[in-house]
Amino acid sequence: MNQQLEGILLRALKREKGARKAAEKILEGKSTEFYDLTQKLKKSNFKLEKLIAEKSSELRGVFENIVDAYVVMDLRGNVIKMNEPATSLLGYDNNQENINLFTLVDVSEVEKVKKSYSKLINNGSITNFQVKINTKSNDQKLVHINASIIYDENHKAIAAQGIVRDITEIKNLELQKEKLLLKLGKSNDELQEYAHIVSHDLKSPLSSIYALVSWLKEDNIGKFDKNSLQNFGHIESTLEKMELLISDVLLYSSVSLDESKKLNVDLNIVIEDLKKIIFIPSHIQINVKNKLPVVFGERTKFQQLFQNLIGNAIKFNNKKNGLIEIDVSEKKSFYQFSIKDNGVGIEKKYHDKIFKIFHSLNDHKDSTGIGLSIVKKIIDLYNGNIWIESDYGKGTTFHFTLKK
């Protein structure tokens, strides 16, 4: 019996030793695995700490170097932190004094700010918010604000941050610009009215002089010699030119944009209509090389533009077979036009002068020196450019652009 019990105990002890060895082996494996895991975790922690340090440094650099004012507040509007531009803008130092949003806001804007601050907390952000604030030195500023809520790891709102930009000067400049535009508009209206009055007051005596000269000639038929009749002719020609000049000055002064008259204008139809209006001598041919575009603007302005350029090309063409070519090429944001003739041409020294008002290069009876000034003014109104290429005696090409 004792031997049997002893055998049982030996077997049990053997099993226990085997189980212990197995457990030790498992524990050894787990220890190795845990050690490896610990080393990996240490490496990961080191990388994470390095990344956090880098990001903190980056954020600190952004905070310190951002041009606009940057302010961090708690949810009650108390300033926690702000950068140097914020200190310069507000005149306060949050390290030395307590600052609250609602003490900065102008009293007239408090209710407006309360609503926006509630919206910020509820929605998480506000953008393009403008408000008047008072600095420590009692200077009133208009600022533009973009703000957002800062959340903790549980997505609980803990603070608010905002970028604040001083737009006082910009707003003042905008107001000045509006006032200047209104003043300019009023001046233009007064100028047009004045031009109409002057035109009427000048044309009336001119008509009277013209009539008196005609009557004087009729009442004294056969009494004037050849030189006197030539002088009368010069007087009549001068009176006609003066009347044309007054009309052109009036036309030049009235060149302005009327937004209400803008529409899509087919320039092909404009050219065809001009061919019926302008006198085109039989020896001059007008060719449109490519189909012209449809542009947006005032039809009368485009008609004036092409009429003056085509009219000049006809007026100053001394060739037996005159040719005028109209062409266009399409660019990314504009159309580039050209009107080419084989006429008298323009010397290079005059290329920069011909667009100035009253600058005529000859004594043509129909030329007042205003036509190309009107062309330039119209193109300027449509933010385009105009320039010329010309060989004296061979012809001229006017190039100009119109935005799409």
Side-chain angles (χ1 to χ4, degrees):
M1 184 67 181
N2 289 335
Q3 287 181 346
Q4 187 178 3
L5 182 58
E6 185 179 348
I8 292 171
L9 290 172
L10 286 172
R11 286 194 297 274
L13 184 61
K14 187 177 181 181
R15 284 196 300 271
E16 186 179 345
K17 285 181 178 179
R20 184 178 293 175
K21 284 183 179 180
E24 287 175 352
K25 190 174 182 181
I26 293 170
L27 185 60
E28 184 180 349
K30 292 294 182 184
S31 296
T32 303
E33 186 179 336
F34 180 73
Y35 176 78
D36 292 341
L37 186 61
T38 302
Q39 292 302 113
K40 288 180 180 178
L41 190 59
K42 281 182 178 180
K43 289 181 181 178
S44 296
N45 284 339
F46 176 76
K47 288 181 180 178
L48 184 59
E49 286 172 1
K50 186 179 178 183
L51 182 61
I52 290 171
E54 288 174 354
K55 293 300 178 185
S56 297
S57 178
E58 288 176 10
L59 289 172
R60 187 166 55 254
V62 171
F63 180 79
E64 291 173 352
N65 296 307
I66 190 169
V67 175
D68 292 319
Y70 176 72
V71 180
V72 180
M73 302 175 292
D74 64 23
L75 297 181
R76 292 184 298 277
N78 297 310
V79 175
I80 302 170
K81 191 175 184 180
M82 59 186 187
N83 63 354
E84 182 59 36
T87 302
S88 298
L89 172 63
L90 303 175
Y92 292 99
D93 185 348
N94 71 297
N95 294 317
Q96 298 179 7
E97 49 199 327
N98 295 324
I99 314 165
N100 185 275
L101 168 67
F102 295 100
T103 61
L104 298 171
V105 175
D106 188 78
V107 65
S108 63
E109 303 269 60
V110 171
E111 289 303 317
K112 172 182 170 182
V113 172
K114 283 181 180 178
K115 290 179 182 178
S116 294
Y117 203 65
S118 296
K119 181 181 177 182
L120 168 63
I121 293 172
N122 293 330
N123 297 347
S125 66
I126 56 170
T127 56
N128 300 322
F129 180 65
Q130 294 183 14
V131 65
K132 296 174 189 173
I133 62 169
N134 295 314
T135 67
K136 189 175 182 178
S137 58
N138 288 323
D139 291 329
Q140 190 177 81
K141 301 282 187 181
L142 181 67
V143 296
H144 174 280
I145 300 173
N146 286 334
S148 61
I149 292 294
I150 300 172
Y151 300 95
D152 64 12
E153 65 274 10
N154 298 316
H155 200 68
K156 180 182 177 183
I158 56 173
Q161 61 182 350
I163 300 292
V164 184
R165 177 171 294 178
D166 182 4
I167 59 170
T168 309
E169 196 64 33
I170 294 172
K171 200 67 177 179
N172 288 337
L173 289 173
E174 287 177 355
L175 291 173
Q176 288 178 29
K177 180 183 175 183
E178 288 176 9
K179 288 179 181 178
L180 285 172
L181 287 174
L182 288 171
K183 188 176 181 180
L184 181 62
K186 186 178 179 182
S187 296
N188 284 337
D189 291 340
E190 290 174 350
L191 177 63
Q192 288 186 29
E193 185 179 354
Y194 177 75
H196 280 282
I197 292 170
V198 170
S199 172
H200 178 270
D201 290 350
L202 287 176
K203 280 188 174 182
S204 294
L206 282 178
S207 299
S208 299
I209 295 170
Y210 194 86
L212 287 171
V213 170
S214 298
W215 294 340
L216 189 61
K217 284 172 62 180
E218 289 175 6
D219 292 343
N220 294 276
I221 293 175
K223 295 182 181 179
F224 293 120
D225 59 18
K226 186 177 179 181
N227 287 335
S228 296
L229 289 173
Q230 282 182 342
N231 289 333
F232 275 116
H234 290 321
I235 292 171
E236 289 172 334
S237 177
T238 302
L239 290 171
E240 288 174 1
K241 191 162 186 177
M242 285 181 69
E243 186 172 4
L244 179 61
L245 179 61
I246 292 167
S247 298
D248 283 352
V249 168
L250 178 61
L251 183 61
Y252 180 82
S253 68
S254 63
V255 173
S256 60
L257 287 180
D258 186 345
E259 297 294 330
S260 64
K261 293 182 180 179
K262 282 187 173 183
L263 44 81
N264 289 321
V265 180
D266 188 337
L267 295 180
N268 299 283
I269 297 175
V270 169
I271 298 300
E272 289 304 312
D273 289 344
L274 283 175
K275 286 180 180 179
K276 299 171 186 175
I277 296 170
I278 300 174
F279 171 69
I280 304 172
S282 58
H283 70 285
I284 291 181
Q285 183 178 355
I286 298 176
N287 292 335
V288 179
K289 296 184 73 176
N290 287 305
K291 185 178 179 181
L292 302 178
V294 174
V295 292
F296 187 69
E298 290 182 64
R299 178 184 171 84
T300 54
K301 295 290 186 295
F302 296 133
Q303 183 172 314
Q304 285 177 310
L305 171 62
F306 281 96
Q307 184 171 341
N308 274 293
L309 290 174
I310 295 171
N312 267 11
I314 293 171
K315 193 185 301 177
F316 302 112
N317 198 307
N318 59 352
K319 301 299 189 297
K320 184 178 180 180
N321 295 310
L323 178 63
I324 299 169
E325 294 180 328
I326 302 171
D327 201 3
V328 64
S329 60
E330 185 174 359
K331 308 298 181 182
K332 187 175 180 180
S333 59
F334 61 88
Y335 295 106
Q336 182 171 318
F337 298 86
S338 65
I339 296 181
K340 181 180 180 181
D341 65 63
N342 62 343
V344 297
I346 301 171
E347 291 183 72
K348 192 170 183 65
K349 64 181 179 180
Y350 297 119
H351 286 192
D352 294 330
K353 299 178 181 179
I354 59 172
F355 297 110
K356 294 179 180 178
I357 193 167
F358 301 129
H359 197 98
S360 180
L361 303 184
N362 52 64
D363 294 324
H364 195 284
K365 67 184 180 76
D366 294 329
S367 178
T368 61
I370 295 178
L372 290 178
S373 301
I374 291 173
V375 168
K376 178 72 164 59
K377 194 172 181 180
I378 291 171
I379 289 173
D380 286 344
L381 287 173
Y382 285 95
N383 299 314
N385 294 304
I386 184 167
W387 65 98
I388 70 166
E389 293 176 354
S390 183
D391 289 328
Y392 187 62
K394 295 182 179 180
T396 301
T397 302
F398 283 88
H399 299 276
F400 63 92
T401 63
L402 293 174
K403 285 191 175 183
K404 290 183 178 178

